[in-house]
Amino acid sequence: MNRDTDLSGRTAIVTGAGSGLGRAEALRLAELGANVIVNDLGDDAAVVADEVRTLGSEALAVQADISAWKTGDELVAAAVDTFGGLDIVVNNAGIVRDTMIFNLTEDKWDKVLDVHLKGHAALCHAAAVHFRSASKAAGGPIYGRIVNTASEAALMGAAGQPNYSAAKAGIIGLTLSTAQGLGRYGVRANAIMPRARTGMTEAVFAADSDSRRLDILAPERVARLVGFLSGPEAARISSEVFIVYGDFVALLRPADIEEKFIASTGVFDEAELAEKIGGHFEGKAPGSGFAAYHLAELDETGIENIA
């Protein structure tokens, strides 16, 4: 069966697209035919925009700080003014300021939350305003795709990344809310949890020892999922979260209920809570709590985490 992966005539915004995963995503969307607004802070945005053009698509580099709320509006305005509309949003921009919780400073908290969570929210908001207006003008649903970038750290927690873990958990909630709020207008919103070898992760992963293949942690592998979720074949997919790296994509299911405790008299006291909840934990295996450590079992790449 032939599948429609053509993005010709579509316009995409990709944040943090000057290097790494964002660059790979921008280039993949261009390969599929989309025009791309390439957003990043430095001159690399213009370099990637040139790379997009060599692939036969149009591009515009917008050097702006996504942690500023107004940047979301500026990016959407650039898409509309330059290409006549907006179809695809890929929120990728991010930074790390690794620290243990007891060493966390307000500045390290604010910077990470501002770039990741506020940056995602700013562009989702601006895109939502555009999509809603376009749907009303069209008199029905329109084409809209939002791909946000979360992380397994949101589910497992990372001891040295309380700021990053919190931001990525917030992005999941933002994505689900965005999907619910924009579904009636034809917009689909999903989140990915990628692993990729980039400048931000260069000190995290060991090298791939198999030189006969595309690096098992190459960002291009992740970009293929972004291309799919941005495309027409993803029309039925929304409010979903995917883990992606190596040679696989994993679709996550919602959080489940392990046990429900009911007060015998209708109101708990501490003694009954100790008996029922405390008793449950007496037989509970260590490491089997809410933190999803079992996700580590997905990793069959053979790449050692050296951080």
Side-chain angles (χ1 to χ4, degrees):
M1 180 185 297
N2 292 327
R3 296 292 189 178
D4 184 4
T5 60
D6 186 20
L7 295 179
S8 297
R10 303 294 183 190
T11 296
I13 297 171
V14 183
T15 68
S19 63
L21 183 54
R23 172 182 174 272
E25 292 165 340
L27 296 181
R28 185 57 182 169
L29 294 175
E31 288 174 338
L32 296 173
N35 302 315
V36 186
I37 301 292
V38 180
N39 165 246
D40 216 318
L41 279 173
D43 295 337
D44 287 341
V47 174
V48 174
D50 285 339
E51 291 182 283
V52 167
R53 295 184 190 102
T54 65
L55 294 171
S57 292
E58 295 300 319
L60 176 68
V62 178
Q63 297 181 23
D65 183 358
I66 194 60
S67 70
W69 190 263
K70 66 178 182 178
T71 299
D73 295 323
E74 292 171 356
L75 292 173
V76 172
V80 174
D81 293 345
T82 306
F83 301 118
L86 174 65
D87 305 285
I88 299 160
V89 167
V90 180
N91 272 306
N92 164 75
I95 61 171
V96 290
R97 296 291 187 271
D98 291 354
T99 179
M100 300 294 286
I101 187 65
F102 40 77
N103 291 325
L104 179 64
T105 64
E106 183 178 8
D107 181 66
K108 287 184 176 180
W109 174 266
D110 287 346
K111 278 188 167 58
V112 170
L113 269 290
D114 282 353
V115 174
H116 285 275
L117 186 52
K118 183 181 176 183
H120 271 64
L123 185 50
C124 282
H125 160 73
V129 172
H130 170 79
F131 287 141
R132 181 170 178 261
S133 177
S135 176
K136 288 188 173 183
I142 48 88
Y143 189 103
R145 302 286 186 270
I146 296 175
V147 182
N148 289 334
T149 306
S151 168
E152 294 165 87
L155 302 179
M156 290 189 278
Q161 295 181 314
N163 43 11
Y164 181 82
S165 299
K168 292 305 190 181
I171 287 168
I172 295 173
L174 172 68
T175 303
L176 300 181
S177 180
T178 299
Q180 294 299 315
L182 297 183
R184 72 185 71 177
Y185 305 116
V187 180
R188 306 294 178 253
N190 297 284
I192 62 170
M193 296 179 170
R195 292 190 196 180
R197 195 184 310 283
T198 68
M200 196 169 80
T201 64
E202 61 186 356
V204 176
F205 302 117
D208 186 353
S209 60
D210 190 344
S211 61
R212 298 167 298 175
R213 66 185 178 192
L214 176 68
D215 185 347
I216 197 67
L217 292 179
E220 289 80 6
R221 293 176 179 269
V222 176
R224 301 298 176 87
L225 177 61
V226 172
F228 164 68
L229 292 174
S230 300
E233 293 289 340
R236 295 171 59 88
I237 303 172
S238 199
S239 293
E240 302 291 356
V241 180
F242 299 87
I243 295 175
V244 53
Y245 62 92
D247 62 356
F248 79 94
V249 175
L251 173 63
L252 298 186
R253 64 165 56 100
D256 203 358
I257 303 297
E258 177 178 323
E259 190 72 29
K260 183 178 180 181
F261 307 95
I262 299 175
S264 58
T265 62
V267 179
F268 274 119
D269 61 19
E270 290 79 1
E272 189 180 10
L273 288 168
E275 178 183 351
K276 291 187 174 178
I277 299 180
H280 174 78
F281 275 84
E282 288 174 3
K284 188 172 168 63
S288 62
F290 186 81
Y293 300 123
H294 64 281
L295 294 179
E297 298 172 5
L298 291 170
D299 189 0
E300 298 180 351
T301 62
I303 301 300
E304 181 185 3
N305 188 320
I306 58 176

